[in-house]
Amino acid sequence: MKVFKFGGASVKDAESVRNIASVLKSAGYNGTFMVVSAMGKTTNALEEVVKLYFEKADFTKKIEKIRQMHLEIADELFTDSASLKSEIHQFFEDLCGFLRRNKSPNYDFVYDQVVCCGELISTKIVSSFLNSVGIENTWLDVRDFIKTDETYREGNLNWEETEKNFSSLDNSKFYVTQGFLGSDPNYFTTTLGREGSDYSAAIIAYCMNAESMTIWKDVPGVLNADPRYFEDAQLLNKISYEEAIELAYYGASVIHPKTMRPLRQKGIPFYVKSFIDPKGSGTEIQNKLTLEPFVPCYIVKKNQNLLRLTTSDFSFITEEKISRIFNLLHDLKIKVNMMQNSAISLSLCLEDKFNQMEVLMDKLKSEYQMELEKEVSLYTLRHFDEKSSYSFYKGTELLRQIIKNTLQIIVKEE
């Protein structure tokens, strides 16, 4: 069995859905598990619904706008869309019903029950369209198979139960299912973190002992730089899992950091290819593949925070102090992307997606003097040399660090 994953950009409108059928006819789809994300920016729109709900504002207009977008896509794809549109309406009625009945004040719990609608509806539309053009498939609710604990928005996988669930499936069939989603022991929806659809595909590949996994993107494959921020990006034709994991760790947006681990464990070949040019070579990722010569790889993470901590009593930054700081960061779900310390100070490049920075600083203010620089960018250059490291960013350099062949620079951009 093969596993294919199509992201939101590949199903953003009716023409994109038609293109998926073309890609499948070109690449082959017998014995394939296809994982599909929400359409376009639907997840962002549903996140806004959750925000409005907790602000006790009118969220119904936002829901109606999302509903109409999906209904219009259904109308464009089918001459008779009544049956599919009825299913779409039911999804939104269930969503509204949940928000009317919900008593839980847990933001993350509500978030997962709401945003899951994007994947569920997109896969219903895609599955129905593929069946209508002769690509016979079975739609599955992935929440019946991927089981997690009760950590909403960042569900921790129950591997044993998940593997057992997938073992019941026939690997000669073509399945269409959702990325990003799972369910807890009480069958409430959980999500695997933003960009978790790639991870979902890797979980399925692992559990089904897939012969390969392919992520279909709007780029030719894994590039040595994000073309939105860097010129003359090059395609990396073959790289090792080790190199891919390093790139993902430093923030390469093409591959989710958790995706490679289950694939590497079973030695499953992993491809990143273009749904715009499905016959293109793309990028192949396997064990023991080497990138020679090593091509400099440029990565940038925007919207970072540089927090500098200095001990108030000028005592050393000891292991005990670092342990307390990192425990707080863990509890507040603030991610550390770079750290550098001296005798009495510690500098941290932090990603604060849950807006907990003020809470962190309040908990540390009695022990440290603090300086916070918001909206900085973290640039990482893998396999750097003097030529490649020259002027690849614009702005004021705040901090620099070199570890082996990796250069990292925190920049306040102009």
Side-chain angles (χ1 to χ4, degrees):
M1 167 164 277
K2 299 177 292 185
V3 175
F4 287 169
K5 184 262 175 174
F6 288 87
S10 67
V11 289
K12 63 183 180 181
D13 52 29
E15 190 57 39
S16 300
V17 175
R18 293 189 186 99
N19 183 63
I20 285 183
S22 299
V23 172
L24 293 172
K25 289 175 181 177
S26 173
Y29 55 85
N30 292 327
T32 297
F33 222 118
M34 189 168 86
V35 176
V36 182
S37 297
M39 292 181 152
K41 300 296 183 181
T42 300
T43 300
N44 293 342
L46 289 167
E47 286 178 334
E48 181 65 20
V49 169
V50 178
K51 181 173 178 288
L52 292 169
Y53 172 79
F54 276 95
E55 291 173 349
K56 302 190 183 303
D58 182 10
F59 55 83
T60 58
K61 291 179 181 177
K62 191 72 177 179
I63 290 178
E64 189 57 32
K65 186 176 180 181
I66 301 168
R67 185 204 305 252
Q68 288 304 317
M69 183 270 284
H70 287 89
L71 292 173
E72 288 169 10
I73 290 174
D75 278 336
E76 286 187 59
L77 290 172
F78 299 92
T79 52
D80 180 6
S81 59
S83 176
L84 177 60
K85 288 169 74 173
S86 176
E87 288 191 81
I88 294 171
H89 280 300
Q90 188 60 55
F91 277 119
F92 284 101
E93 290 306 308
D94 290 345
L95 169 60
C96 292
F98 165 76
L99 291 173
R100 284 195 301 268
R101 296 188 304 272
N102 175 62
K103 302 297 182 184
S104 173
N106 185 332
Y107 191 99
D108 292 346
F109 168 77
V110 174
Y111 176 99
D112 281 1
Q113 312 320 302
V114 171
V115 299
C116 67
C117 295
E119 276 73 18
L120 293 167
I121 297 168
S122 72
T123 51
K124 273 291 183 181
I125 292 173
V126 170
S127 174
S128 298
F129 177 74
L130 294 178
N131 277 322
S132 75
V133 296
I135 301 178
E136 185 176 341
N137 69 89
T138 300
W139 182 89
L140 295 178
D141 187 335
V142 79
R143 297 173 298 179
D144 293 333
F145 297 87
I146 292 182
K147 304 301 291 186
T148 74
D149 63 6
E150 295 173 332
T151 307
Y152 300 106
R153 296 185 75 176
E154 293 281 352
N156 297 301
L157 202 68
N158 182 329
W159 280 100
E160 183 178 352
E161 189 173 355
T162 299
E163 282 192 83
K164 181 181 177 182
N165 292 336
F166 278 107
S167 68
S168 65
L169 296 174
D170 182 351
N171 62 10
S172 67
K173 290 186 176 181
F174 178 32
Y175 298 102
V176 175
T177 197
Q178 308 79 39
F180 186 46
L181 309 182
S183 66
D184 70 11
N186 295 311
Y187 282 87
F188 287 111
T189 302
T190 55
T191 59
L192 304 177
R194 287 302 301 266
E195 308 301 328
S197 291
D198 291 1
Y199 185 42
S200 301
I203 292 167
I204 294 169
Y206 179 95
C207 293
M208 299 295 291
N209 293 306
E211 63 185 69
S212 67
M213 174 177 140
T214 303
I215 293 179
W216 298 91
K217 306 281 289 185
D218 56 358
V219 292
V222 178
L223 305 176
N224 76 322
D226 189 330
R228 294 175 298 174
Y229 306 117
F230 302 96
E231 297 179 356
D232 303 320
Q234 297 175 244
L235 176 67
L236 305 177
N237 294 297
K238 295 184 178 183
I239 56 176
S240 67
Y241 273 116
E242 288 76 10
E243 182 65 21
I245 288 168
E246 290 284 355
L247 292 173
Y249 172 79
Y250 287 114
S253 60
V254 172
I255 307 168
H256 191 280
K258 293 186 290 189
T259 300
M260 267 78 64
R261 288 196 290 270
L263 299 174
R264 182 177 181 271
Q265 189 172 343
K266 285 196 174 180
I268 298 170
F270 174 28
Y271 301 90
V272 180
K273 303 188 74 172
S274 169
F275 61 75
I276 299 169
D277 178 22
K279 294 188 180 297
S281 60
T283 298
E284 177 185 359
I285 304 169
Q286 286 201 49
N287 286 327
K288 299 180 180 178
L289 285 180
T290 57
L291 181 65
E292 294 179 349
F294 287 112
V295 178
C297 295
Y298 301 84
I299 303 161
V300 60
K301 282 189 172 184
K302 303 280 189 177
N303 304 314
Q304 303 292 297
N305 300 274
L306 177 59
L307 179 63
R308 294 187 180 93
L309 304 171
T310 303
T311 52
S312 298
D313 59 0
F314 296 101
S315 60
F316 288 161
I317 295 287
T318 61
E319 291 83 354
E320 182 181 358
K321 288 183 170 63
I322 291 174
S323 176
R324 167 167 155 67
I325 293 166
F326 272 73
N327 282 332
L328 284 171
L329 291 167
H330 174 267
D331 292 343
L332 296 172
K333 298 182 180 179
I334 299 175
K335 183 181 178 184
V336 181
N337 287 321
M338 179 178 161
M339 66 173 286
Q340 189 176 102
N341 69 286
S342 64
I344 61 171
S345 67
L346 176 66
S347 295
L348 298 168
C349 181
L350 303 174
E351 192 169 316
D352 181 29
K353 65 179 180 180
F354 296 113
N355 299 314
Q356 295 292 307
M357 189 63 64
E358 289 186 12
V359 178
L360 173 69
M361 295 179 70
D362 185 62
K363 289 180 179 292
L364 294 173
K365 66 183 180 182
S366 64
E367 303 168 60
Y368 299 94
Q369 298 173 21
M370 289 176 283
E371 297 177 43
L372 177 64
E373 189 82 49
K374 296 183 177 181
E375 297 298 318
V376 300
S377 297
L378 173 61
Y379 285 85
T380 301
L381 175 52
R382 292 270 298 159
H383 312 301
F384 77 96
D385 53 33
E386 286 301 320
K387 181 180 178 181
S388 62
S389 63
Y390 178 73
S391 190
F392 68 97
Y393 63 90
K394 294 180 180 178
T396 303
E397 181 177 321
L398 302 178
L399 198 66
R400 168 183 291 245
Q401 182 167 274
I402 298 175
I403 301 177
K404 288 188 177 181
N405 62 351
T406 301
L407 167 67
Q408 290 191 286
I409 302 173
I410 299 175
V411 174
K412 187 68 174 180
E413 297 189 289
E414 300 169 348

